[in-house]
Amino acid sequence: MVTAALTLALGAYLLTVVHRLETFEPKFNRTDYSHVVVAGAWRLPNKTLSATFARRVDRGDELAAQFNATLVFTGGLGDSRAAKKYSTYGGPTLHEDKSRTTLQNAIETARVAPDATAILVVSSPYHLGRCLVYFQRAFPTSVVDVAAALPDKRNDGSCGRFFEGGPEDMCETMRRLSALPREALVAH
C-alpha cells in the first residue's frame, strides 16, 4: 500500500519536473497589454520571496516595462505587498491582498483592475494552464494570455505544485496517500 502510493507520488513528481524543464517562450502577438499580472506564490518563513516568486516578479517587471503596462501583484497574507516591495518596476502598480488560491488571484485581480482590456499573466511554466483558465473566467470580455517566468532550481525548500505548500505539507499528503486502501483510485 505504501509502495503504491509512493510510486504514484514519485511518478507524478517526476512528470512535474520534466514538464518544468520545458522552456516556454510565447510569441506575443499583441503590443497593447493593459495589465501584466504576477501570479502569487509563497514566501519563506523569514518573509522573503521564494525563488519561484522572485522569478515571477522579475519576469513581470520585464514584461510590464516592455508593454508599458500596469503591473498587478496577487496574493494574500502580505505576499502581494512583499512582491511589490521586491519589484523594480517604475511604472503604475496595483496589488490585491486577499487571495489564497489561483482562482482567487483571478477574482481579486478583476476587482482591483476592472478596466483591464488585455492581460498577460506571469507564472511558472507548470502553473500557466490554471492561470489561463481562471483569468479567462474572471475577465470574460478581455484578452488573456500567459507568460512563463524562468524555471527555478527549487533550492528554496519548495516541493513543487504537485504538493501544496512546503515540505511538511508534502509529508502530510504522503501520509494520507499511504493510508488509502490499495484498491483506491486517485483521480484529479
Side-chain angles (χ1 to χ4, degrees), residues 24-28 36-38 52-67 71 86 120-123 146-150:
F24 174 70
E25 185 59 38
K27 305 267 189 281
F28 299 110
V36 172
V37 178
V38 176
T52 299
F53 205 176
R55 284 180 177 81
R56 291 180 188 183
V57 174
D58 292 340
R59 183 70 166 146
D61 287 350
E62 173 191 325
L63 292 170
Q66 178 181 339
F67 296 114
L71 186 57
Y86 172 86
L120 186 59
V121 183
V122 177
S123 193
V146 292
L150 295 175

Side-chain angles (χ1 to χ4, degrees), residues 78-99:
D79 293 347
S80 63
R81 292 174 197 263
K84 188 174 180 178
K85 184 177 179 183
Y86 172 86
S87 173
T88 59
Y89 183 58
T93 62
L94 298 169
H95 78 279
E96 65 79 14
D97 206 15
K98 293 183 179 179
S99 65

